[in-house]
Amino acid sequence: MRINKYLAECGLGSRRACEQLVLDGRVAVNGKTADKLAFEINPENDKVSLDGKKVRPILKHLYIAFHKPKGCVTTTSDDKGRKTVIDYLPAKYKEKRIFPVGRLDYETEGLILLTTDGDTANRVMHPRHELAKTYAARLESDITEAELEKLRRGVELDGEKTKKCKVRRLESEEGQARIEVVISEGRNRQVRRMFEAVGKNVTFLKRTAIGEIRLGGLGRGECRELKTHEIEFLKRF
């Protein structure tokens, strides 16, 4: 088994994050530093450690849905001292090696998934799966049907056109439009930048669903464990 896959099964992060642990020289196998990504291990016989502490695969993984509030970062720690999604979790989850699956912008609230299952997280985040993510946006001003259609067809960001997406008007109130957007990409600040490309400013943005997993009535800063059918959905990838 490749060393990065083993570390992911130990709940140390996605395979990509675990690759960095290896490259940083923090991983040892049978007392010797494993600094090559192609390193193969025998899970039954080899002793693997991170920063000198032995690690083992997690037998039962944890899968969490969390309503990220605006003004917190989707990382396990932050060198700027900002609140992270981990800070909001109950103590019983903080004791686990849990980490966020993907990211959500600092100024955006809504659904984020957290897990100890690095292997599943790695598959879910892979761009080839084009996992649908649903957002509710409020704009500073109204928007025309022609502008909505332009968003659906794709707009240019960083020299590359966004993929076709679903965009529909929810309602307009006092000149401010509320829009639902479903995208299958994960570019940096993508939804906000898409609206900027048609001259619109987003004043509020919330992710309401990731594939078949919905935020529902989960309050800001609250979390819940995923239901069986939701876990099965993630494992299809």
Side-chain angles (χ1 to χ4, degrees):
M1 179 187 294
R2 283 284 181 99
I3 185 67
N4 64 331
K5 185 176 189 298
Y6 181 86
L7 294 173
E9 291 185 356
C10 292
L12 298 177
S14 67
R15 288 196 198 180
R16 181 175 297 180
C18 290
E19 286 177 357
Q20 193 58 51
L21 295 177
V22 175
L23 294 174
D24 290 343
R26 298 173 59 189
V27 180
V29 179
N30 301 324
K32 294 183 179 180
T33 301
D35 56 2
K36 289 182 171 38
L37 299 180
F39 200 99
E40 295 278 344
I41 66 166
N42 183 328
E44 295 183 4
N45 300 322
D46 290 331
K47 295 179 181 179
V48 182
S49 61
L50 173 69
D51 298 333
K53 296 182 180 179
K54 188 175 182 180
V55 294
R56 296 186 182 90
I58 297 173
L59 298 179
K60 185 177 180 181
H61 284 292
L62 188 62
Y63 305 87
I64 297 289
F66 172 69
H67 186 160
K68 173 197 170 303
K70 177 181 177 181
C72 88
V73 291
T74 49
T75 56
T76 56
S77 61
D78 183 64
D79 56 10
K80 296 180 181 178
R82 296 172 295 182
K83 266 197 167 185
T84 73
V85 291
I86 304 298
D87 292 328
Y88 287 88
L89 299 181
K92 64 178 180 178
Y93 297 138
K94 291 181 181 180
E95 297 170 359
K96 309 290 184 181
R97 290 194 294 265
I98 194 166
F99 57 92
V101 180
R103 293 179 180 271
L104 199 55
D105 298 337
Y106 185 74
E107 295 297 325
T108 301
E109 69 171 72
L111 180 63
I112 189 84
L113 303 179
L114 298 101
T115 185
T116 57
D117 186 349
D119 210 27
T120 294
N122 183 73
R123 295 196 304 273
V124 168
M125 289 188 290
H126 200 287
R128 72 172 179 270
H129 296 307
E130 298 187 347
L131 179 61
K133 293 172 282 289
T134 306
Y135 295 82
R138 184 169 64 238
L139 307 183
E140 193 173 48
S141 58
D142 207 349
I143 188 169
T144 67
E145 182 58 33
E147 290 167 332
L148 292 175
E149 185 57 31
K150 186 175 180 180
L151 292 170
R152 295 181 187 114
R153 294 195 305 267
V155 294
E156 191 170 296
L157 300 180
D158 302 323
E160 185 179 349
K161 202 171 185 181
T162 57
K163 293 182 179 179
K164 289 183 180 181
C165 65
K166 297 178 181 178
V167 183
R168 70 183 181 96
R169 181 191 298 272
L170 297 176
E171 62 181 36
S172 293
E173 186 175 298
E174 298 180 353
Q176 295 185 339
R178 289 184 62 243
I179 308 294
E180 182 182 81
V181 183
V182 184
I183 61 174
S184 60
E185 300 176 277
R187 301 197 209 179
N188 183 41
R189 299 182 68 252
Q190 180 171 338
V191 175
R192 292 180 186 275
R193 294 170 65 211
M194 284 169 58
F195 281 105
E196 287 171 4
V198 294
K200 302 300 174 182
N201 181 46
V202 175
T203 58
F204 174 81
L205 186 62
K206 177 167 71 173
R207 185 157 67 193
T208 58
I210 298 174
E212 296 178 5
I213 303 171
R214 304 199 65 81
L215 183 64
L218 206 58
R220 293 182 181 93
E222 294 181 349
C223 67
R224 64 173 177 83
E225 294 188 24
L226 294 192
K227 299 172 183 176
T228 301
H229 71 89
E230 293 173 321
I231 296 172
E232 290 174 350
F233 165 73
L234 292 179
K235 289 186 175 292
R236 290 181 205 163
F237 296 96

